[in-house]
Amino acid sequence: MKAFSLSEEQIACVIGAAAADELARRFNRHADFLTIAAWTQDAPLGRGGLALDEDEKVACARRAASLFGLDEDYLSAVSAEKIADWARELTVAVRHELKSFSFKPAARIDGDVAHAHGADAIYQDAAAAANVLAGRRRLLSFVAPHSLLGLELSLLTPNLLGIEAIDARRMTPDELSSNLLFGDVLVATPTLWRYMMQEGLRAPDNSLAVSFGEPMTPELAVEMRTSGFGVLREMYGSTETGLIAWRDNPGEAFVLFDHWRRAGDNLLRLCPDGEEREVDAMDLLAWSGERSFTLSGRRDGAVQIGAVNVFPDAVAETLRNHPHIEDCRIAVGRRSDGAARLIAHIVLAPKTPPNERTARDIDVWCRVNLRQQERPQIYNFEIETGAEA
């Protein structure tokens, strides 16, 4: 069925997004949002495009193949000059061999471990999302499509609904305001929604806003409704589990999709093949009924910043490797708009002055050794006596 397929153009977009993630993970190469959004079919793999050297090209080809459940060396014999060359090969394979997908979590605590999901389970998730997004005319996405929820919501769901899927990552808020039409749905993370609200995004009547990846605050929800989005849908799930539940307002409980059941304090997935599989939720769930719950914090100590799971203890451990830092503790604070931010409480090494130059030196070091979401936004220095400076 056409609804259960991905076009070559869509696969190229997935490849480009996955390549950007792989370059950041393995080679500490970071590109800006608009640059990554342009890594589509016609983007060269060399000069004028992704600018990959041989090691980077091999790593990106392996990531692309494994994402679609293929052997990581599937593309090794393909002579590729553009993303389109890889996309063409993967499109044929996906039509005949697609049995699973493999996604890497945004958090780096698991190293390079990927989580595999059967293709039927991924389409089951997308069908569930389509049920709560039915009636829309177009779907625009501000989210990269290489993650589990990004792929399901940005590409598979509109395919199942038979509506146009538009990559909005290359649009400014002004361009989005001009392009949004009556009946559209726009997908973004709360961090991106905050940015769009700050930039004055306006939506026409009967527009639907979808968010996922980090908690939606009541204050942000009010801003989004004021900007014209009459309906909100917040999705809950993870790379490890798949898509689990949804709700309309931050103050409400999440409601399980039909292929999930409560199993005591945990979850039971009803798989498409009839199997029932118990799943550990990534968060502590406070049940208010057999099909509804609220979140009571992460089981693993992660906090969500920019839709990325960040582990404060791991960030602190990394910072302790800096020659000016003797000890470090990471706290989580909230900005005035409700977004989480990291605060580093640092005990400096002996004879290290707690001044602006030291702060700049540590901040530059963090830009090399930590991802953007892991970098502290505030540094509190302590001198040897323990008093903050």
Side-chain angles (χ1 to χ4, degrees), residues 125-235:
D125 284 357
N131 284 337
V132 297
L133 300 181
R136 299 292 113 184
R137 297 187 174 186
R138 304 184 304 170
L139 185 145
L140 296 84
S141 178
F142 228 78
V143 178
H146 68 290
S147 66
L148 184 147
L149 268 68
L151 177 69
E152 291 177 351
L153 296 174
S154 299
L155 298 180
L156 298 181
T157 293
N159 285 0
L160 291 172
L161 290 171
I163 61 176
E164 183 180 6
I166 299 172
D167 189 345
R169 291 178 295 160
R170 283 167 282 180
M171 297 183 187
T172 66
D174 284 344
E175 289 172 327
L176 265 178
S177 294
S178 300
N179 279 277
L180 282 172
L181 302 175
F182 179 94
D184 280 349
V185 53
L186 178 60
V187 178
T189 66
T191 292
L192 293 171
W193 279 117
R194 288 187 186 92
Y195 161 70
M196 289 187 281
M197 293 302 99
Q198 291 167 1
E199 295 299 313
L201 175 68
R202 302 297 301 175
D205 291 340
N206 196 33
S207 297
L208 188 155
V210 171
S211 69
F212 71 94
E214 58 185 301
M216 169 67 69
T217 63
E219 295 79 10
L220 179 57
V222 169
E223 285 189 71
M224 292 164 65
R225 292 187 188 281
T226 302
S227 73
F229 290 94
V231 183
L232 273 59
R233 294 277 188 274
E234 184 178 358
M235 304 292 186

Side-chain angles (χ1 to χ4, degrees), residues 154-344:
S154 299
L155 298 180
L156 298 181
T157 293
N159 285 0
L160 291 172
L161 290 171
I163 61 176
E164 183 180 6
I166 299 172
D167 189 345
R169 291 178 295 160
R170 283 167 282 180
M171 297 183 187
T172 66
D174 284 344
E175 289 172 327
L176 265 178
S177 294
S178 300
N179 279 277
L180 282 172
L181 302 175
F182 179 94
D184 280 349
V185 53
L186 178 60
V187 178
T189 66
T191 292
L192 293 171
W193 279 117
R194 288 187 186 92
Y195 161 70
M196 289 187 281
M197 293 302 99
Q198 291 167 1
E199 295 299 313
L201 175 68
R202 302 297 301 175
D205 291 340
N206 196 33
S207 297
L208 188 155
V210 171
S211 69
F212 71 94
E214 58 185 301
M216 169 67 69
T217 63
E219 295 79 10
L220 179 57
V222 169
E223 285 189 71
M224 292 164 65
R225 292 187 188 281
T226 302
S227 73
F229 290 94
V231 183
L232 273 59
R233 294 277 188 274
E234 184 178 358
M235 304 292 186
Y236 172 70
S238 69
T239 302
E240 296 82 358
T241 62
L243 187 62
I244 294 171
W246 66 282
R247 65 182 177 185
D248 283 335
N249 294 297
E252 297 178 351
F254 282 100
V255 178
L256 292 174
F257 284 111
D258 288 343
H259 57 290
W260 290 94
R261 298 287 185 271
R262 178 180 178 180
D265 291 330
N266 227 328
L267 294 164
L268 188 73
R269 178 165 190 151
L270 309 181
C271 302
D273 61 3
E275 178 189 357
E276 295 184 356
R277 181 163 53 88
E278 190 164 344
V279 174
D280 294 327
M282 302 306 294
D283 297 270
L284 296 170
L285 308 182
W287 293 94
S288 53
E290 286 302 306
R291 301 199 56 76
S292 58
F293 61 87
T294 54
L295 304 179
S296 298
R298 294 277 299 194
R299 295 177 186 266
D300 54 11
V303 294
Q304 292 166 317
I305 298 178
V308 172
N309 291 330
V310 173
F311 296 84
D313 289 347
V315 173
E317 183 177 352
T318 300
L319 278 165
R320 292 187 192 105
N321 293 322
H322 191 286
H324 292 336
I325 296 176
E326 186 170 286
D327 198 9
C328 177
R329 176 177 61 86
I330 300 294
V332 181
R334 295 283 173 183
R335 300 193 320 224
S336 58
D337 60 4
R341 63 180 177 182
L342 299 185
I343 302 170

